[in-house]
Amino acid sequence: MKLTHMVEMHGICKSFGTLKANDNIDLDIAKGEVLSLLGENGAGKTTLMSILYGMLQPDAGGISINGKAAMITSPLVATALGISMVHQHFMLVNSLSVAENVVLGYEPRKGAFFDRARAFDEVGKLSERYGLRVNPRETISNLPVGMKQRVEILKALYRKSDILILDEPTAVLTPGETDDLFRVLEQFKQAGKSIILITHKLKETMQVADRITILRQGRVIQTLPREEASVDKLAEMMVGRRIAFSIERRQMPQQLPVLLSLRHATLKREEVKKLNDVSIDVRGGEILGIAGVDGNGQTELAEALSGLARLSAGEIVIHGVPVKSPTPGKMLGLRVGHIPEDRTIRGVIRRFSVSKNLILGYQGSDRFSGRLHLKKDSIASFAREAVEKFDIRCGGIEESLEYLSGGNQQKVVIARVM
């Protein structure tokens, strides 16, 4: 039996300056299916879905919902049409509770007043039903990244949407949380709802998708059923060349020099020990992995090592020398770079240009700054070199960072630190 199309997008075009993000794209999503939208950073995935959700307007093309032409001029219009989007960058009000964020705009009322007790009850039951256990009374600002992702998903569930767009939803989830999410998606699917999954994770795509659409440089390369796909085939279509997935691990020398040490580090916040007598050594030429469920001190560890948080006890040692009163500027001066977990808060200024973002934190160095002014030629030269070396896809170094895809914004952060 042929599935009914809930969404049809025809000839969608969208440009940002000279960058053509979507180039004559056709896409359809059937009722009761999971469509995976695959592509490299800057392939146009998020732009396309932002158009479907009404956050952006296409330069050309049209959209039909349930067979009827739709002018989706805003997220409010999209929501009225049964479309919800869980964003890669959270759309939450930090000062409000979980429940208040979930029901925002759709508040239950008792007479003329907001029924807060009912909101707590409804959101609590919803989170338990779908295995997304979040305390509805907790303030958003107190939640770790993984929990904030759950709140975004709860917002979509609360609105009873028929079409759910998920933009890189598993990026901050543990494997167990990812499995919980996929069970939720299966419930959506069984209820006849449509899910569009934007992701880079090929194995997850093979696990959950019914059909897969591959974008490359703003164009649809192919749409195929999962049964005809493989991880190798999808990767090759994404990047346009064969990809080798195997990594040859070399044997590490026994005595590599210790570049950075954390000695008996304790970090308290509101009398809670986020770090408790932690000691580590990081050696030259190695990658040290820190593992743990979200909220167990990884964020505080990174903040301490980058000077963003002050240790309650213990010390940081660089090249054998203790760092006195570490600050972000001092740690940068000691060549300790930081790529934060949430780039939108501490990694970039989205309304600044690509070139300005590429020197943030380093703008006072001799390379980029004179006595009274910035060295524009030096900054431009560095920015052009970084854009080429790290394949940052943008309309030019003076383009506002907000017009870049999430992945290309991340490349800017990485290029700056490296």
Side-chain angles (χ1 to χ4, degrees):
M1 184 176 71
K2 185 177 180 180
L3 296 175
T4 303
H5 286 158
M6 295 189 78
V7 177
E8 293 176 289
M9 305 181 78
H10 309 284
I12 300 296
C13 296
K14 182 66 178 179
S15 296
F16 300 103
T18 60
L19 180 68
K20 188 166 283 190
N22 292 156
D23 188 2
N24 196 32
I25 290 180
D26 293 334
L27 189 78
D28 58 69
I29 303 100
K31 182 176 181 179
E33 80 162 344
V34 177
L35 176 72
S36 180
L37 203 55
L38 278 181
E40 283 190 289
N41 295 325
K45 309 181 298 297
T46 299
T47 298
L48 184 65
M49 289 300 100
S50 295
I51 289 171
L52 178 58
Y53 190 55
M55 294 182 71
L56 295 173
Q57 299 304 304
D59 300 329
I63 301 171
S64 296
I65 306 295
N66 291 317
K68 296 181 180 179
M71 291 289 293
I72 307 178
T73 54
S74 71
L76 191 63
V77 173
T79 302
L81 291 168
I83 304 170
S84 283
M85 185 169 182
V86 177
H87 300 272
Q88 187 176 4
H89 308 303
F90 304 134
M91 303 290 185
L92 300 171
V93 182
N94 285 326
S95 59
L96 298 182
S97 69
V98 168
E100 289 166 334
N101 269 274
V102 171
V103 305
L104 193 60
Y106 300 85
E107 298 89 345
R109 295 192 172 275
K110 183 184 290 185
F113 301 98
F114 172 42
D115 192 343
R116 185 174 277 100
R118 183 178 158 197
F120 287 147
D121 181 63
E122 288 179 351
V123 173
K125 288 179 179 177
L126 188 67
S127 67
E128 288 294 325
R129 176 184 172 190
Y130 287 100
L132 296 165
R133 295 178 180 84
V134 185
N135 180 359
R137 298 177 183 274
E138 186 62 80
T139 304
I140 292 294
S141 60
N142 294 332
L143 295 179
V145 175
M147 287 292 184
K148 290 180 181 178
Q149 176 71 284
R150 295 186 186 191
V151 178
E152 287 282 15
I153 294 168
L154 283 170
K155 283 169 59 179
L157 295 173
Y158 187 82
R159 286 155 176 71
K160 300 179 181 178
S161 301
D162 293 321
I163 302 157
L164 179 61
I165 305 164
L166 297 167
D167 192 356
E168 301 285 355
T170 64
V172 294
L173 301 183
T174 65
E177 290 169 335
T178 297
D179 291 340
D180 288 340
L181 172 62
F182 287 172
R183 281 192 286 271
V184 172
L185 298 188
E186 184 61 29
Q187 292 180 52
F188 261 63
K189 180 179 169 181
Q190 294 302 321
K193 301 179 187 294
S194 300
I195 301 106
I196 306 168
L197 184 68
I198 304 173
T199 183
H200 292 93
K201 299 183 179 180
L202 302 180
K203 291 182 180 178
E204 289 182 2
T205 291
M206 294 297 294
Q207 179 182 346
V208 73
D210 295 301
R211 288 190 304 142
I212 304 161
T213 293
I214 300 95
L215 297 185
R216 188 168 75 234
Q217 296 182 353
R219 296 180 179 179
V220 173
I221 300 302
Q222 189 175 348
T223 297
L224 70 167
R226 178 180 55 189
E227 293 76 18
E228 296 179 10
S230 68
V231 169
D232 289 345
K233 183 176 182 180
L234 292 175
E236 186 173 346
M237 284 191 289
M238 281 173 60
V239 302
R241 64 183 186 278
R242 189 174 296 278
I243 298 295
F245 287 95
S246 59
I247 299 175
E248 185 176 341
R249 299 286 184 183
R250 61 187 175 88
Q251 186 67 35
M252 300 299 293
Q254 292 294 315
Q255 293 298 323
L256 291 170
V258 175
L259 301 186
L260 179 149
S261 295
L262 196 61
R263 295 176 180 169
H264 304 291
T266 297
L267 193 155
K268 291 183 180 179
R269 282 189 175 155
E270 298 178 356
E271 299 306 312
V272 176
K273 287 185 177 180
K274 297 295 186 177
L275 297 177
N276 187 10
D277 195 28
V278 175
S279 296
I280 60 171
D281 288 328
V282 184
R283 298 177 180 274
E286 75 169 358
I287 296 172
L288 175 66
I290 303 295
V293 176
D294 194 20
N296 279 271
Q298 303 96 308
T299 297
E300 288 75 17
L301 177 64
E303 289 177 348
L305 291 174
S306 56
L308 289 165
R310 184 66 62 87
L311 292 175
S312 308
E315 63 181 358
I316 301 168
V317 180
I318 305 292
H319 294 293
V321 180
V323 182
K324 294 181 180 180
S325 302
T327 64
K330 183 176 286 187
M331 298 309 289
L332 284 178
L334 292 168
R335 302 181 72 176
V336 177
H338 179 220
I339 299 172
E341 62 181 334
D342 191 335
R343 65 178 169 270
T344 59
I345 295 175
R346 283 183 170 156
V348 299
I349 300 176
R350 296 183 72 232
R351 294 193 176 184
F352 274 22
S353 66
V354 171
S355 63
K356 286 180 179 177
N357 273 281
L358 280 166
I359 66 165
L360 282 178
Y362 302 90
Q363 69 272 10
S365 68
D366 291 340
R367 180 176 184 181
F368 302 130
S369 180
R371 292 182 62 185
L372 299 175
H373 58 84
L374 293 173
K375 298 177 180 177
K376 293 183 179 180
D377 290 345
S378 181
I379 293 170
S381 176
F382 168 73
R384 284 191 291 267
E385 180 183 328
V387 164
E388 182 177 357
K389 182 176 180 181
F390 288 85
D391 191 24
I392 300 169
R393 297 179 186 178
C394 59
I397 61 172
E398 295 308 314
E399 182 175 29
S400 175
L401 194 83
E402 63 186 326
Y403 295 127
L404 272 63
S405 70
N408 280 290
Q409 290 181 21
Q410 185 76 345
K411 286 182 183 180
V412 169
V413 179
I414 294 169
R416 181 179 68 222
V417 172
M418 301 299 285

